[in-house]
Amino acid sequence: MFREKLISIRKIIKNSFTYENSSKSRIVYGPVLSRRLGYVIGINNIKSKFCSYNCVYCPEGQSKQCSVCIDHCISPYEIYMAVRTKLEELEKSGKSVKYLVINGRGEPTLDSGLSKTIQLLREFGLKIAVFTNSSLIWDNNVQQNLMCADYVSLKLDTVIEDTWYKINRPPRRLDFNAILNGIKEFSEKYQGHLSTATTFIKDMNDNQFEINALADFLKEVKCESSCFMTPRYPASDKNAESPDEEKLQQLQSLLKERIINPLLLCCPENEVFDVTGDFEDEFLGLLSIHPIQVSAVRNYIRSDEDLEKLKNLIEENFIKEIIQDDKKYYAIEDKKRTVSMRMQI
Ligand code: SF4
């Protein structure tokens, strides 16, 4: 019954939805090489940067914080069409991915239509992952939405409340204990692959006290792996630095000792991504999520025409070069201007 309903909804969408290709780039990006899942297509289900956190290491800059609401989310049908177009392009280019990852420009669980989006995306036969910041995991509706995914990654940078305020900078109305209890509760019920994700920030959560407390907490969480990483992109707060190499080595030994199945993703790696449609739209779409290393952009350039477009974006001040940790990145110069002019949001 439900399946028949879904098929008829899809028919309606295919027949009635006028889909602008330029919309696709603000909803889907990639394929990109995920540190955990291999090549994936990324999906953004939030219209702008609405997040329940305002992390020091966020590459997106300051959040426009809000609570659970549907007003700032992209409709499941629009997402479905964008993914469909992207996968058609991918097929033509002879590439493939295993996962669709909902992990966009804000917090994906702010979208109350998340389970509907996941159900529509099932048509493509790919696994579906959601990367959440866990802030709303205490909410039963959010848990129900996440149940539909094959892989859920729960952000857990710390189990110490003071550190949580320093790193994730949540609004005061969020209750830290409710979040920790929600993580445990969800892990009991969830049937898919559950993973936690911790980002190490120098002088904040990179010490033995933090790791011991986290390890004790994780003993009560039924997850298959715990991922540990360092900030990958220039952060919104310049003081949010990665621990140095020596410290990371110490942390790695400690993690192996104290935590079951830790995945250490701290080591720098080259960012790998690809373009399947229009270079300019897709490049700006990805840049609207996070800055991209200048050295990695060469993977994006397929022709002299693409190179010319890149030069124009720089000359016209749509994008700029920034430097962090001796690495050069491209970032959007003026998001408002770029988004409105190039992507017609
Ligand atoms: S890093 Fe993620 S959770 Fe933190 S503010 Fe940015 S989008 Fe939100």
Side-chain angles (χ1 to χ4, degrees):
M1 180 70 179
F2 176 73
R3 194 176 148 68
E4 280 164 15
K5 240 184 181 173
L6 207 59
I7 291 168
S8 87
I9 290 171
R10 282 181 192 136
K11 273 189 191 152
I12 294 167
I13 301 166
K14 281 177 193 171
N15 295 336
S16 65
F17 202 90
T18 311
Y19 184 70
E20 288 282 333
N21 203 42
S22 59
S23 303
K24 182 200 72 186
S25 306
R26 71 184 165 93
I27 301 173
V28 285
Y29 57 94
V32 292
L33 186 59
S34 152
R35 289 186 277 190
R36 290 177 256 183
L37 301 175
Y39 280 97
V40 304
I41 294 293
I43 299 171
N44 172 48
N45 62 335
I46 306 291
K47 274 185 193 159
S48 186
K49 201 217 164 183
F50 283 94
C51 190
S52 39
Y53 279 173
N54 188 15
C55 304
V56 284
Y57 56 80
C58 184
E60 271 288 314
Q62 293 282 315
S63 300
K64 298 172 196 168
Q65 291 188 19
C66 69
S67 58
V68 182
C69 60
I70 55 169
D71 294 355
H72 309 296
C73 303
I74 298 168
S75 90
Y77 308 120
E78 206 176 340
I79 294 173
Y80 168 86
M81 289 304 289
V83 173
R84 188 166 151 243
T85 308
K86 180 56 136 174
L87 291 175
E88 282 167 4
E89 286 172 4
L90 198 68
E91 199 178 346
K92 279 186 207 146
S93 68
K95 298 187 172 86
S96 63
V97 294
K98 216 166 136 190
Y99 269 95
L100 298 173
V101 179
I102 304 177
N103 173 33
R105 221 176 280 153
E107 168 50 28
T109 62
L110 286 171
D111 177 3
S112 63
L114 184 60
S115 61
K116 194 171 186 178
T117 298
I118 293 173
Q119 279 154 7
L120 287 173
L121 296 178
R122 287 278 171 221
E123 175 179 312
F124 305 119
L126 295 168
K127 291 198 169 182
I128 296 168
V130 181
F131 288 7
T132 168
N133 68 14
S134 316
S135 60
L136 306 170
I137 194 72
W138 45 269
D139 182 292
N140 193 41
N141 292 330
V142 167
Q143 289 193 12
Q144 289 308 317
N145 281 341
L146 290 172
M147 293 288 179
C148 305
D150 302 291
Y151 183 111
V152 171
S153 170
L154 299 174
K155 185 188 289 296
L156 185 62
D157 291 334
T158 179
V159 294
I160 307 296
E161 189 162 8
D162 284 351
T163 316
W164 178 61
Y165 278 114
K166 279 186 203 146
I167 296 182
N168 302 121
R169 301 190 296 197
R172 288 275 160 188
R173 63 184 177 274
L174 280 177
D175 178 340
F176 190 51
N177 284 326
I179 293 171
L180 296 181
N181 288 334
I183 289 174
K184 286 186 212 163
E185 188 187 79
F186 180 72
S187 80
E188 291 286 337
K189 301 182 203 162
Y190 182 59
Q191 300 293 314
H193 185 119
L194 187 67
S195 172
T196 60
T198 303
T199 301
F200 284 129
I201 302 295
K202 187 177 173 183
D203 299 334
M204 290 194 187
N205 61 349
D206 61 341
N207 58 63
Q208 189 155 2
F209 172 71
E210 285 279 343
I211 305 282
N212 285 339
L214 185 65
D216 289 342
F217 176 78
L218 286 173
K219 280 182 197 151
E220 296 177 59
V221 178
K222 288 190 177 166
C223 63
E224 299 198 30
S225 56
S226 297
C227 300
F228 295 88
M229 49 202 89
T230 51
R232 188 167 176 175
Y233 309 109
S236 61
D237 185 328
K238 286 199 167 52
N239 298 320
E241 290 175 37
S242 168
D244 59 33
E245 276 305 309
E246 198 185 329
K247 178 63 104 177
L248 286 175
Q249 293 295 334
Q250 291 167 6
L251 290 173
Q252 287 191 5
S253 322
L254 197 56
L255 293 175
K256 280 182 190 156
E257 226 175 78
R258 296 287 335 261
I259 289 170
I260 299 164
N261 202 12
L263 292 181
L264 311 167
L265 307 172
C266 303
C267 308
E269 60 179 91
N270 286 328
E271 187 171 25
V272 182
F273 47 87
D274 222 322
V275 164
T276 56
D278 178 74
F279 167 79
E280 189 175 309
D281 273 349
E282 295 208 5
F283 183 48
L284 290 175
L286 191 53
L287 278 184
S288 74
I289 308 258
H290 58 66
I292 305 172
Q293 267 192 60
V294 169
S295 60
V297 173
R298 74 173 74 97
N299 296 317
Y300 245 149
I301 307 283
R302 298 162 301 182
S303 62
D304 290 347
E305 198 191 335
D306 287 352
L307 192 59
E308 201 52 40
K309 283 180 179 174
L310 176 66
K311 281 184 192 158
N312 288 341
L313 288 172
I314 299 167
E315 278 168 21
E316 291 169 22
N317 293 327
F318 280 108
I319 62 174
K320 62 181 174 185
E321 251 182 48
I322 52 176
I323 297 177
Q324 181 163 307
D325 298 334
D326 298 328
K327 288 181 196 142
K328 277 190 194 167
Y329 294 82
Y330 286 126
I332 282 183
E333 171 70 47
D334 178 342
K335 281 191 186 181
K336 234 173 157 182
R337 183 174 168 229
T338 306
V339 164
S340 62
M341 289 183 71
R342 302 284 168 148
M343 294 182 177
Q344 304 153 23
I345 287 179

Coordinates of all heavy atoms in Angstrom, one line a residue, residues 116-190:
K116 N 10.8 11.3 4.9 CA 10.1 11.3 3.6 C 11.2 11.4 2.5 O 11.2 10.7 1.5 CB 9.2 12.5 3.5 CG 8.2 12.4 2.4 CD 7.2 13.5 2.5 CE 6.1 13.4 1.5 NZ 5.1 14.4 1.7
T117 N 12.2 12.2 2.7 CA 13.3 12.4 1.7 C 14.0 11.0 1.6 O 14.2 10.6 0.4 CB 14.3 13.4 2.2 OG1 13.6 14.7 2.3 CG2 15.5 13.6 1.3
I118 N 14.3 10.4 2.7 CA 15.0 9.1 2.6 C 14.2 8.1 1.9 O 14.7 7.4 1.0 CB 15.4 8.6 4.0 CG1 16.4 9.6 4.7 CG2 15.9 7.2 4.0 CD1 16.8 9.3 6.1
Q119 N 12.9 8.1 2.1 CA 12.0 7.1 1.5 C 12.0 7.3 -0.1 O 12.1 6.4 -0.8 CB 10.6 7.1 2.0 CG 10.5 6.4 3.3 CD 9.3 6.9 4.2 OE1 8.6 7.8 3.8 NE2 9.2 6.4 5.4
L120 N 12.0 8.6 -0.5 CA 12.0 8.9 -1.9 C 13.3 8.5 -2.5 O 13.4 7.9 -3.6 CB 11.7 10.4 -2.2 CG 10.3 10.8 -2.0 CD1 10.2 12.4 -2.1 CD2 9.3 10.2 -3.0
L121 N 14.4 8.7 -1.8 CA 15.7 8.4 -2.3 C 16.0 6.9 -2.5 O 16.9 6.5 -3.2 CB 16.8 9.1 -1.5 CG 16.8 10.6 -1.4 CD1 17.9 11.1 -0.5 CD2 17.0 11.2 -2.8
R122 N 15.2 6.1 -1.8 CA 15.4 4.7 -1.8 C 15.3 4.2 -3.2 O 15.9 3.1 -3.6 CB 14.3 4.0 -1.0 CG 14.6 4.1 0.5 CD 15.6 3.1 1.0 NE 16.0 3.3 2.4 CZ 17.2 3.2 2.8 NH1 18.2 2.9 2.0 NH2 17.5 3.5 4.1
E123 N 14.6 4.9 -4.1 CA 14.4 4.4 -5.5 C 15.7 4.2 -6.2 O 15.8 3.4 -7.1 CB 13.6 5.5 -6.3 CG 13.5 5.1 -7.7 CD 12.7 6.2 -8.5 OE1 11.6 6.5 -8.1 OE2 13.2 6.6 -9.6
F124 N 16.8 4.9 -5.8 CA 18.0 4.9 -6.5 C 18.9 3.7 -6.1 O 20.0 3.4 -6.7 CB 18.8 6.2 -6.3 CG 18.0 7.4 -6.7 CD1 17.7 8.4 -5.8 CD2 17.5 7.5 -8.0 CE1 16.9 9.5 -6.2 CE2 16.7 8.6 -8.4 CZ 16.4 9.6 -7.5
G125 N 18.4 2.9 -5.1 CA 19.1 1.7 -4.8 C 20.5 1.9 -4.1 O 21.3 1.0 -4.1
L126 N 20.7 3.1 -3.6 CA 22.0 3.4 -2.9 C 21.8 3.4 -1.4 O 20.7 3.7 -0.9 CB 22.6 4.7 -3.4 CG 23.0 4.8 -4.9 CD1 23.2 6.2 -5.3 CD2 24.2 3.9 -5.1
K127 N 22.9 3.2 -0.7 CA 22.8 3.3 0.8 C 22.7 4.8 1.2 O 23.2 5.6 0.5 CB 24.0 2.7 1.4 CG 24.0 1.2 1.3 CD 24.9 0.5 2.3 CE 24.7 -1.0 2.2 NZ 25.5 -1.7 3.2
I128 N 22.0 5.0 2.3 CA 21.8 6.4 2.7 C 22.3 6.7 4.1 O 22.0 5.9 5.0 CB 20.3 6.8 2.6 CG1 19.8 6.7 1.1 CG2 20.0 8.2 3.1 CD1 18.3 6.7 0.9
A129 N 23.2 7.7 4.2 CA 23.8 8.0 5.4 C 23.3 9.4 5.9 O 23.1 10.3 5.0 CB 25.3 8.0 5.3
V130 N 23.2 9.6 7.2 CA 22.9 10.9 7.7 C 24.0 11.3 8.7 O 24.3 10.5 9.6 CB 21.5 11.0 8.4 CG1 21.3 12.4 8.9 CG2 20.4 10.6 7.4
F131 N 24.7 12.4 8.6 CA 25.6 12.9 9.5 C 25.0 14.0 10.4 O 24.7 15.0 9.8 CB 26.9 13.5 8.8 CG 27.8 12.4 8.2 CD1 27.4 11.1 8.1 CD2 29.0 12.8 7.6 CE1 28.2 10.2 7.4 CE2 29.8 11.9 7.0 CZ 29.4 10.6 6.9
T132 N 24.7 13.7 11.6 CA 24.0 14.7 12.5 C 24.9 15.2 13.6 O 25.8 14.5 14.0 CB 22.7 14.1 13.1 OG1 22.2 15.0 14.1 CG2 22.9 12.7 13.7
N133 N 24.6 16.4 14.1 CA 25.4 16.9 15.2 C 24.9 16.4 16.6 O 25.4 16.8 17.6 CB 25.5 18.4 15.2 CG 24.1 19.1 15.5 OD1 23.2 18.5 15.9 ND2 24.1 20.4 15.2
S134 N 23.8 15.5 16.5 CA 23.3 14.9 17.7 C 22.5 15.8 18.7 O 21.9 15.3 19.6 CB 24.3 14.2 18.6 OG 25.2 13.4 17.8
S135 N 22.4 17.1 18.4 CA 21.8 18.0 19.3 C 20.4 17.7 19.6 O 19.8 18.1 20.6 CB 22.0 19.4 18.9 OG 21.4 19.6 17.6
L136 N 19.7 17.1 18.6 CA 18.2 16.9 18.8 C 17.9 15.4 18.9 O 16.7 15.0 18.8 CB 17.5 17.5 17.5 CG 17.8 19.0 17.2 CD1 17.3 19.4 15.9 CD2 17.3 19.9 18.3
I137 N 18.9 14.6 19.2 CA 18.7 13.2 19.3 C 17.8 12.7 20.4 O 17.2 11.6 20.4 CB 20.1 12.5 19.4 CG1 20.0 11.0 19.1 CG2 20.8 12.7 20.7 CD1 19.7 10.6 17.7
W138 N 17.5 13.6 21.4 CA 16.6 13.3 22.5 C 15.1 13.3 22.0 O 14.2 12.8 22.7 CB 16.8 14.4 23.6 CG 16.9 15.8 23.1 CD1 18.0 16.4 22.7 CD2 15.8 16.6 22.7 NE1 17.7 17.7 22.2 CE2 16.3 17.8 22.2 CE3 14.4 16.6 22.9 CZ2 15.6 18.9 21.8 CZ3 13.6 17.6 22.4 CH2 14.2 18.8 21.9
D139 N 14.9 13.9 20.8 CA 13.5 14.1 20.3 C 13.1 12.8 19.6 O 13.8 12.3 18.7 CB 13.5 15.3 19.4 CG 12.2 15.6 18.8 OD1 11.6 14.8 18.0 OD2 11.6 16.6 19.1
N140 N 12.0 12.3 20.0 CA 11.5 11.0 19.4 C 11.3 11.1 17.9 O 11.6 10.2 17.2 CB 10.2 10.6 20.2 CG 9.8 9.2 19.8 OD1 10.7 8.3 19.8 ND2 8.6 8.9 19.5
N141 N 10.8 12.3 17.4 CA 10.6 12.4 16.0 C 11.9 12.4 15.2 O 12.0 11.8 14.1 CB 9.8 13.7 15.6 CG 8.4 13.7 16.2 OD1 7.8 12.6 16.2 ND2 7.9 14.8 16.5
V142 N 12.9 13.0 15.8 CA 14.2 13.0 15.2 C 14.8 11.6 15.1 O 15.3 11.1 14.1 CB 15.2 14.0 15.9 CG1 16.6 13.7 15.5 CG2 14.8 15.4 15.6
Q143 N 14.6 10.9 16.2 CA 15.1 9.5 16.3 C 14.3 8.6 15.2 O 15.0 7.8 14.5 CB 14.8 8.8 17.6 CG 15.7 9.4 18.7 CD 15.7 8.6 20.0 OE1 15.1 7.5 20.0 NE2 16.2 9.1 21.1
Q144 N 13.0 8.8 15.1 CA 12.3 8.1 14.1 C 12.8 8.4 12.7 O 12.9 7.5 11.8 CB 10.8 8.4 14.2 CG 10.1 7.9 15.4 CD 10.3 6.4 15.6 OE1 10.3 5.6 14.6 NE2 10.6 6.0 16.8
N145 N 13.1 9.7 12.4 CA 13.6 10.0 11.1 C 14.9 9.3 10.8 O 15.2 8.8 9.7 CB 13.8 11.6 11.0 CG 12.5 12.3 10.7 OD1 11.5 11.7 10.3 ND2 12.5 13.6 11.0
L146 N 15.8 9.3 11.8 CA 17.1 8.7 11.6 C 17.1 7.2 11.4 O 17.9 6.6 10.8 CB 18.0 9.1 12.8 CG 18.4 10.6 12.8 CD1 19.2 10.9 14.1 CD2 19.3 10.9 11.6
M147 N 16.0 6.6 12.0 CA 15.9 5.1 11.9 C 15.8 4.7 10.4 O 16.2 3.5 10.1 CB 14.6 4.7 12.5 CG 14.5 4.8 14.0 SD 15.5 3.6 14.9 CE 15.2 4.1 16.5
C148 N 15.4 5.6 9.5 CA 15.2 5.2 8.1 C 16.5 5.1 7.4 O 16.6 4.6 6.3 CB 14.4 6.2 7.4 SG 12.8 6.5 8.2
A149 N 17.6 5.6 8.0 CA 18.9 5.7 7.2 C 19.7 4.4 7.5 O 19.5 3.7 8.5 CB 19.7 6.9 7.7
D150 N 20.6 4.0 6.5 CA 21.4 2.8 6.7 C 22.6 3.1 7.6 O 23.2 2.2 8.1 CB 22.0 2.4 5.3 CG 20.9 2.2 4.3 OD1 20.2 1.2 4.5 OD2 20.7 3.0 3.4
Y151 N 23.0 4.4 7.6 CA 24.3 4.7 8.4 C 24.0 6.0 9.1 O 23.5 7.0 8.4 CB 25.4 4.9 7.4 CG 26.8 5.2 8.0 CD1 27.8 4.2 8.0 CD2 27.1 6.4 8.5 CE1 29.1 4.5 8.5 CE2 28.3 6.7 9.1 CZ 29.3 5.7 9.0 OH 30.6 6.0 9.6
V152 N 24.2 6.1 10.3 CA 24.0 7.4 11.1 C 25.4 7.7 11.8 O 25.9 6.8 12.5 CB 22.9 7.3 12.1 CG1 22.8 8.5 13.0 CG2 21.5 7.2 11.3
S153 N 25.8 8.9 11.6 CA 27.0 9.4 12.3 C 26.5 10.4 13.3 O 25.9 11.4 13.0 CB 28.0 10.0 11.3 OG 29.0 10.6 12.0
L154 N 26.9 10.2 14.6 CA 26.5 11.1 15.7 C 27.7 11.9 16.1 O 28.7 11.3 16.6 CB 25.9 10.3 16.9 CG 24.7 9.5 16.6 CD1 24.3 8.7 17.9 CD2 23.5 10.4 16.3
K155 N 27.6 13.2 16.0 CA 28.7 14.0 16.5 C 28.8 14.0 18.1 O 27.8 14.1 18.7 CB 28.5 15.5 16.1 CG 29.6 16.4 16.5 CD 29.3 17.9 16.2 CE 29.2 18.3 14.8 NZ 30.5 18.1 14.1
L156 N 30.0 13.7 18.5 CA 30.2 13.7 20.0 C 31.6 14.2 20.3 O 32.5 13.4 20.4 CB 30.0 12.2 20.5 CG 30.0 11.9 22.0 CD1 28.9 12.7 22.7 CD2 29.9 10.4 22.3
D157 N 31.7 15.5 20.3 CA 33.1 16.0 20.5 C 33.6 15.9 21.9 O 34.8 16.0 22.2 CB 33.1 17.5 20.0 CG 32.9 17.7 18.5 OD1 33.3 16.7 17.8 OD2 32.4 18.7 18.1
T158 N 32.6 15.8 22.8 CA 33.0 15.8 24.3 C 31.8 15.2 25.1 O 30.7 15.3 24.6 CB 33.4 17.2 24.8 OG1 33.7 17.1 26.2 CG2 32.2 18.2 24.6
V159 N 32.1 14.7 26.3 CA 31.0 14.4 27.2 C 31.0 15.3 28.4 O 30.4 15.1 29.4 CB 31.0 12.9 27.6 CG1 30.7 12.0 26.4 CG2 32.3 12.5 28.2
I160 N 31.9 16.3 28.3 CA 32.0 17.3 29.4 C 31.3 18.6 29.0 O 31.6 19.2 28.0 CB 33.5 17.6 29.7 CG1 34.4 16.3 29.9 CG2 33.7 18.6 30.9 CD1 34.0 15.5 31.1
E161 N 30.3 18.9 29.9 CA 29.4 20.0 29.5 C 30.2 21.4 29.2 O 29.9 22.1 28.2 CB 28.4 20.3 30.6 CG 27.3 21.2 30.2 CD 26.1 21.1 31.0 OE1 26.1 20.4 32.1 OE2 25.1 21.8 30.7
D162 N 31.2 21.7 30.0 CA 31.9 23.0 29.8 C 32.6 23.0 28.5 O 32.6 24.0 27.8 CB 33.0 23.2 30.9 CG 32.3 23.6 32.2 OD1 31.1 23.9 32.2 OD2 33.0 23.7 33.2
T163 N 33.2 21.8 28.1 CA 33.9 21.7 26.8 C 32.8 21.8 25.7 O 33.1 22.4 24.6 CB 34.6 20.4 26.7 OG1 35.3 20.2 27.9 CG2 35.6 20.4 25.6
W164 N 31.7 21.2 25.9 CA 30.6 21.3 24.9 C 30.2 22.8 24.6 O 30.1 23.1 23.4 CB 29.4 20.5 25.5 CG 28.1 20.5 24.6 CD1 28.0 20.0 23.4 CD2 26.8 21.0 25.0 NE1 26.7 20.1 23.0 CE2 26.0 20.7 24.0 CE3 26.3 21.6 26.2 CZ2 24.6 21.0 24.0 CZ3 25.0 21.9 26.2 CH2 24.1 21.6 25.2
Y165 N 30.1 23.6 25.6 CA 29.8 25.0 25.4 C 31.0 25.7 24.6 O 30.7 26.5 23.8 CB 29.6 25.7 26.8 CG 28.2 25.5 27.3 CD1 27.9 24.8 28.4 CD2 27.1 26.1 26.5 CE1 26.6 24.6 28.9 CE2 25.8 25.9 27.0 CZ 25.6 25.2 28.1 OH 24.3 25.0 28.5
K166 N 32.2 25.2 24.9 CA 33.3 25.9 24.2 C 33.4 25.5 22.8 O 33.7 26.3 21.9 CB 34.7 25.5 25.0 CG 34.9 26.3 26.2 CD 36.3 26.0 26.7 CE 36.4 26.3 28.2 NZ 37.2 25.4 29.0
I167 N 33.2 24.2 22.5 CA 33.5 23.7 21.1 C 32.2 23.9 20.3 O 32.3 24.4 19.2 CB 33.9 22.2 21.1 CG1 35.2 22.0 21.8 CG2 34.0 21.7 19.7 CD1 35.7 20.6 21.8
N168 N 31.1 23.4 20.7 CA 29.9 23.4 19.9 C 29.0 24.6 20.0 O 28.2 24.9 19.2 CB 29.0 22.1 20.2 CG 29.8 20.8 20.0 OD1 30.0 20.0 20.9 ND2 30.3 20.6 18.8
R169 N 29.3 25.4 21.0 CA 28.6 26.7 21.3 C 27.1 26.6 21.0 O 26.5 27.3 20.2 CB 29.3 27.8 20.4 CG 30.8 27.9 20.7 CD 31.4 29.1 20.1 NE 31.4 29.1 18.7 CZ 32.2 29.8 17.9 NH1 33.0 30.7 18.5 NH2 32.2 29.8 16.6
P170 N 26.4 25.7 21.8 CA 25.0 25.5 21.6 C 24.2 26.6 22.2 O 24.7 27.4 23.1 CB 24.7 24.2 22.4 CG 25.7 24.3 23.5 CD 27.0 24.9 22.9
P171 N 22.9 26.8 21.8 CA 22.0 27.7 22.4 C 21.7 27.2 23.8 O 21.7 26.0 24.1 CB 20.8 27.7 21.6 CG 20.8 26.5 20.8 CD 22.2 26.0 20.7
R172 N 21.5 28.1 24.8 CA 21.3 27.7 26.2 C 20.1 26.8 26.4 O 20.0 26.0 27.3 CB 21.0 29.0 27.1 CG 22.3 29.8 27.3 CD 23.1 29.2 28.4 NE 24.6 29.6 28.3 CZ 25.5 29.2 29.1 NH1 25.3 28.3 30.0 NH2 26.8 29.6 28.9
R173 N 19.1 26.8 25.4 CA 17.9 26.0 25.6 C 18.2 24.5 25.4 O 17.4 23.6 25.8 CB 16.7 26.4 24.8 CG 17.0 26.3 23.3 CD 15.8 26.9 22.5 NE 16.1 26.9 21.1 CZ 16.7 27.8 20.4 NH1 17.2 28.8 21.0 NH2 16.9 27.7 19.1
L174 N 19.3 24.1 24.8 CA 19.6 22.7 24.7 C 20.1 22.1 26.0 O 20.9 22.8 26.7 CB 20.6 22.5 23.6 CG 20.1 22.5 22.1 CD1 21.2 22.4 21.1 CD2 19.0 21.5 21.9
D175 N 19.7 20.9 26.3 CA 20.1 20.2 27.5 C 21.1 19.1 27.2 O 20.8 18.2 26.5 CB 18.8 19.6 28.1 CG 19.1 18.9 29.4 OD1 20.2 18.5 29.7 OD2 18.1 18.7 30.2
F176 N 22.3 19.3 27.7 CA 23.4 18.4 27.4 C 23.1 17.0 27.9 O 23.4 16.0 27.1 CB 24.7 18.9 28.0 CG 26.0 18.2 27.5 CD1 26.2 18.0 26.2 CD2 26.9 17.7 28.4 CE1 27.3 17.3 25.7 CE2 28.0 17.0 28.0 CZ 28.3 16.8 26.7
N177 N 22.6 16.8 29.1 CA 22.3 15.5 29.6 C 21.3 14.8 28.7 O 21.4 13.5 28.5 CB 21.9 15.5 31.0 CG 23.1 15.7 31.9 OD1 24.2 15.3 31.6 ND2 22.9 16.5 33.0
A178 N 20.3 15.5 28.3 CA 19.2 14.9 27.4 C 19.9 14.4 26.1 O 19.5 13.4 25.6 CB 18.2 16.0 27.1
I179 N 20.9 15.1 25.6 CA 21.5 14.7 24.4 C 22.3 13.4 24.6 O 22.2 12.5 23.8 CB 22.5 15.8 23.8 CG1 21.6 17.0 23.4 CG2 23.4 15.3 22.7 CD1 22.4 18.3 23.1
L180 N 23.1 13.4 25.7 CA 23.9 12.2 26.0 C 22.9 11.0 26.2 O 23.2 9.9 25.7 CB 24.7 12.4 27.2 CG 25.8 13.5 27.1 CD1 26.7 13.6 28.4 CD2 26.8 13.2 25.9
N181 N 21.8 11.2 26.9 CA 20.9 10.1 27.1 C 20.2 9.7 25.8 O 20.0 8.5 25.6 CB 19.8 10.5 28.2 CG 20.4 10.6 29.6 OD1 21.3 9.9 29.9 ND2 19.8 11.4 30.4
G182 N 19.9 10.7 25.0 CA 19.3 10.4 23.7 C 20.3 9.6 22.8 O 19.8 8.7 22.1
I183 N 21.6 9.8 22.9 CA 22.5 9.0 22.1 C 22.5 7.6 22.6 O 22.4 6.6 21.7 CB 24.0 9.6 22.3 CG1 24.1 10.9 21.5 CG2 25.0 8.6 21.8 CD1 25.4 11.7 21.7
K184 N 22.5 7.4 23.9 CA 22.4 6.0 24.4 C 21.1 5.3 24.0 O 21.1 4.2 23.5 CB 22.5 6.0 25.9 CG 23.9 6.3 26.4 CD 23.9 6.1 28.0 CE 24.8 7.0 28.6 NZ 24.6 7.2 30.0
E185 N 20.0 6.0 24.1 CA 18.7 5.5 23.8 C 18.6 5.1 22.3 O 18.2 4.0 22.0 CB 17.6 6.5 24.2 CG 16.2 6.1 24.1 CD 15.3 7.2 24.3 OE1 15.0 8.0 23.4 OE2 14.8 7.4 25.4
F186 N 19.1 6.0 21.5 CA 19.0 5.8 20.0 C 19.8 4.6 19.7 O 19.4 3.7 18.9 CB 19.4 7.0 19.3 CG 19.4 6.8 17.8 CD1 18.2 6.8 17.1 CD2 20.6 6.7 17.0 CE1 18.1 6.6 15.7 CE2 20.5 6.5 15.7 CZ 19.3 6.5 15.0
S187 N 21.0 4.4 20.3 CA 21.9 3.3 19.9 C 21.3 2.0 20.3 O 21.6 1.0 19.7 CB 23.3 3.5 20.6 OG 23.2 3.1 22.0
E188 N 20.4 2.0 21.3 CA 19.7 0.7 21.7 C 18.7 0.3 20.6 O 18.5 -0.9 20.4 CB 18.9 0.9 23.0 CG 19.8 1.1 24.2 CD 20.4 -0.2 24.7 OE1 19.9 -1.2 24.3 OE2 21.5 -0.1 25.3
K189 N 18.1 1.3 19.9 CA 17.0 1.0 19.0 C 17.4 0.8 17.6 O 16.8 0.1 16.8 CB 16.0 2.1 19.0 CG 15.3 2.4 20.3 CD 14.3 3.6 20.1 CE 14.0 4.4 21.3 NZ 13.4 5.7 21.1
Y190 N 18.5 1.6 17.2 CA 18.8 1.7 15.8 C 19.4 0.4 15.2 O 20.3 -0.2 15.9 CB 19.8 2.8 15.6 CG 20.3 3.1 14.2 CD1 19.3 3.4 13.2 CD2 21.6 3.0 13.8 CE1 19.7 3.7 11.9 CE2 22.0 3.3 12.5 CZ 21.1 3.6 11.6 OH 21.5 3.8 10.3

